[in-house]
Amino acid sequence: MSQPRSHNFSFEFFPTKTDAGHEKLIATARRLAEYQPDFFSCTYGAGGSTRDRTLNTVLQLDGEVKVPTAPHLSCVGDSKQELRELLNLYKNAGIKRIVALRGDLPSGMGMASGELRYANELVEFIRSETGDHFHIEIAAYPEMHPQARNFETDLANFVRKAKAGADSAITQYFFNADCYFYFVERVRKLGVETPIVPGIMPITNYSKLARFSDACGAEIPRWVRKQLESYGDDADSIHAFGEQVISEMCEKLLAGGAPGLHFYTLNQAEPSLAIWDNLKLTR
């Protein structure tokens, strides 16, 4: 059964460090553009470390690949004037969507620096500087931000960000649809109706996924871990099992009312498109 395009589908990239990597990224983006996503997004390194590469990638994806592209923008380490200049640059280039984040602290930086310390302050700043020009996305953490004191505090932080002027939210990836539904239910009870789109991470490499998930607080269910561990270096089996698990979860999410899906591509087309095809999403 094909899903109607009332849902919102998007793909995320990260800026690369080499020309060859960048060429591959653009080729991947052109492939994904054929599926007519609502937008692309492009990440921003810790403390703004990839600022120029993010900027160049966003402008190329938006201008040449012809898919509306949302840069990630973080406030850690940036002054208001630096943020203002970046916002004006994006605005003048015709960019209409931004993913507003506190951002990760670069290694060695013990606490947040910059004039804005939290994502809700960044959302307020973007609104005060640019009015309604940008559609502002914020981050959501169904399994709690890894640095939050507790779940209730994290919910309060999300509500604060949303009420600061966000239009919609994208979640950290997860492998348990119930945690998403519970998070949305709690947020709605707190008076926030902001659409919350699940972030989807295809499973392609178990060891990398396990390391990354442990660092960012994304729980891999024990039965999934054990099955993936049993495959060892059998990449085909890992891909096939991962594709099945994520496709079934996405089906459950959409059937349960999720407003769309945001794919973390890791600059690869095929893992996300395999899930897309399994869901029979329209182009």
Side-chain angles (χ1 to χ4, degrees):
M1 179 179 173
S2 65
Q3 301 290 341
R5 281 311 292 267
S6 57
H7 290 94
N8 191 305
F9 298 106
S10 49
F11 298 101
E12 182 163 297
F13 302 100
F14 62 86
T16 64
K17 296 179 180 178
T18 65
D19 290 343
H22 183 73
E23 286 177 19
K24 183 189 170 194
L25 185 163
I26 297 301
T28 297
R30 291 190 192 283
R31 173 105 169 84
L32 293 172
E34 296 171 10
Y35 288 73
Q36 299 176 353
D38 292 274
F39 67 95
F40 290 151
S41 69
C42 185
T43 64
Y44 196 63
S49 58
T50 65
R51 178 183 333 206
D52 290 342
R53 294 201 303 277
T54 296
L55 174 64
N56 294 336
T57 302
V58 166
L59 297 182
Q60 189 170 1
L61 291 173
D62 192 89
E64 294 179 28
V65 183
K66 304 294 185 188
V67 172
T69 302
H72 284 208
L73 190 65
S74 66
C75 54
V76 168
D78 277 358
S79 68
K80 286 183 178 180
Q81 184 55 34
E82 288 170 320
L83 291 168
R84 187 176 291 118
E85 289 170 2
L86 208 45
L87 286 169
N88 286 334
L89 207 158
Y90 283 131
K91 185 177 177 181
N92 292 336
I95 300 299
K96 292 293 185 73
R97 186 184 293 256
I98 278 183
V99 182
L101 309 163
R102 185 200 71 177
D104 295 325
L105 303 174
S107 57
M109 185 186 285
M111 56 182 291
S113 65
E115 294 176 70
L116 305 176
R117 293 186 61 192
Y118 302 107
N120 64 294
E121 296 175 353
L122 178 58
V123 173
E124 289 170 358
F125 180 75
I126 295 170
R127 282 283 174 248
S128 67
E129 291 290 321
T130 63
D132 291 331
H133 177 82
F134 292 109
H135 179 111
I136 301 178
E137 303 273 2
I138 53 173
Y141 297 87
E143 296 177 304
M144 196 176 87
H145 191 286
Q147 295 171 347
R149 283 202 301 275
N150 55 55
F151 190 60
E152 299 304 318
T153 302
D154 205 38
L155 279 173
N157 287 340
F158 177 79
V159 169
R160 196 175 299 116
K161 285 190 292 188
K163 292 186 174 179
D167 294 293
S168 52
I170 299 169
T171 76
Q172 171 66 276
Y173 70 86
F174 53 85
F175 301 108
N176 178 355
D178 289 340
C179 77
Y180 167 82
F181 291 126
Y182 181 71
F183 180 84
V184 172
E185 180 186 327
R186 290 295 309 275
V187 164
R188 298 292 179 249
K189 287 179 179 174
L190 293 170
V192 172
E193 295 300 323
T194 307
I196 301 171
V197 175
I200 305 301
M201 178 70 81
I203 297 174
T204 57
N205 180 309
Y206 172 61
S207 56
K208 284 184 180 177
L209 181 70
R211 280 198 307 275
F212 194 53
S213 298
D214 289 343
C216 70
E219 181 74 23
I220 303 176
R222 179 178 167 81
W223 70 274
V224 175
R225 275 187 184 264
K226 291 301 178 186
Q227 190 64 53
L228 288 169
E229 285 170 2
S230 75
Y231 294 132
D233 295 327
D234 182 353
D236 289 343
S237 293
I238 290 171
H239 283 207
F241 175 72
E243 183 185 316
Q244 178 188 352
V245 166
I246 300 300
S247 297
E248 289 174 357
M249 183 183 73
C250 289
E251 198 166 37
K252 185 175 181 181
L253 289 166
L254 293 174
L261 301 170
H262 180 77
F263 292 92
Y264 295 111
T265 69
L266 301 181
N267 293 359
Q268 302 174 65
E270 297 313 318
S272 296
L273 291 182
I275 296 163
W276 182 290
D277 290 339
N278 288 341
L279 296 171
K280 297 181 171 60
L281 299 176
T282 55
R283 290 176 73 163

